[in-house]
């Protein structure tokens, strides 16, 4: 199976430096255009899975893709707990949250385990074709850790985020 991962499109919170976490979020004008571009790039996928958080769902809805779309809560961003909706800088240093949960929330290792569970179900139910996953930064780190480079999670979290039009993994 070919798994293509794309981040949700840009949100109003992204533009204002806010760490949305488990809050729904809303795409900005630029994000709505990015969602349409994602649809143009990914016309050949067989199905789409996304986080159930509004910004990921909205990205898929605006993409114009006509294949089945399933929402899965296991693809949510890391739950920052008391810091959901806080300024992004309030999460620093994130590397301290690899195994220690955010106050009232999750650790990044928790996100890896949820992603591992999602991948196991995906492999069991959809073991062929091309699947698009639209989710969040923590999920990309988890996928890179589990399916990509295999680098330690702490190392992946500290790397600067360089957006690109999707990441491709074999499953």
């Amino acid at each position: 199976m070919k798994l293509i991962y794309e981040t949700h499109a840009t949100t109003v919170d992204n533009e204002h430096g806010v760490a949305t976490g488990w809050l729904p979020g809303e795409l900005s004008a630029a994000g709505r255009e990015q969602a349409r571009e994602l649809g143009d790039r990914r016309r050949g996928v067989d199905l789409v899975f996304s986080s159930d958080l509004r910004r990921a769902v909205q990205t898929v809805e605006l993409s114009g893709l006509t294949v089945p779309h399933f929402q899965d809560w296991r693809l949510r961003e890391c739950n920052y707990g008391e810091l959901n909706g806080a300024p992004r800088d309030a999460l620093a240093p994130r590397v301290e949250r690899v195994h220690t949960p955010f106050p009232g929330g999750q650790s990044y290792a928790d996100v890896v385990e949820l992603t591992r569970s999602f991948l196991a179900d995906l492999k069991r139910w959809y073991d062929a074709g091309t699947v698009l996953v639209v989710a969040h930064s923590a999920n990309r780190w988890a996928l890179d850790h589990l399916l990509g480079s295999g680098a330690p999670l702490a190392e992946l979290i500290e790397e600067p985020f360089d957006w690109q039009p999707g990441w491709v993994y074999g499953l």
Side-chain angles (χ1 to χ4, degrees):
M1 171 195 320
K2 180 178 177 181
L3 187 150
I4 302 171
Y5 169 81
E6 293 253 8
T7 60
H8 64 76
T10 301
T11 65
V12 173
D13 282 353
N14 293 145
E15 293 178 348
H16 292 103
V18 172
T20 313
W22 271 25
L23 300 176
E26 185 69 29
L27 297 187
S28 67
R32 290 189 296 276
E33 179 57 32
Q34 291 165 354
R36 287 186 280 278
E37 291 169 1
L38 179 147
D40 292 340
R41 275 194 308 277
R42 301 302 176 199
R43 291 280 175 236
V45 302
D46 298 309
L47 67 152
V48 179
F49 280 89
S50 76
S51 159
D52 64 345
L53 294 173
R54 179 70 188 137
R55 57 199 185 269
V57 173
Q58 190 178 25
T59 298
V60 176
E61 290 173 347
L62 293 175
S63 74
L65 293 171
T66 58
V67 298
H69 171 208
F70 302 96
Q71 298 173 34
D72 195 310
W73 74 274
R74 294 173 294 180
L75 295 172
R76 287 183 179 184
E77 176 63 276
C78 187
N79 181 358
Y80 305 135
E82 296 168 12
L83 297 175
N84 286 325
R88 189 177 305 122
D89 294 345
L91 304 182
R94 288 181 190 233
V95 71
E96 292 181 359
R97 300 300 176 181
V98 170
H99 296 288
T100 303
F102 285 93
Q106 297 174 302
S107 70
Y108 288 109
D110 293 331
V111 175
V112 168
E113 291 312 308
L114 289 170
T115 302
R116 187 186 316 273
S117 169
F118 167 77
L119 292 173
D121 286 347
L122 185 63
K123 185 165 176 53
R124 181 174 44 224
W125 297 107
Y126 303 99
D127 198 22
T130 302
V131 176
L132 174 63
V133 172
V134 177
H136 311 274
S137 59
N139 310 103
R140 184 178 67 85
W141 295 328
L143 288 169
D144 279 349
H145 177 70
L146 295 169
L147 302 177
S149 68
L153 196 53
E155 186 178 301
L156 294 167
I157 289 170
E158 290 192 317
E159 290 178 1
F161 177 75
D162 291 324
W163 183 88
Q164 64 185 49
W167 289 260
V168 178
Y169 303 95
L171 184 64

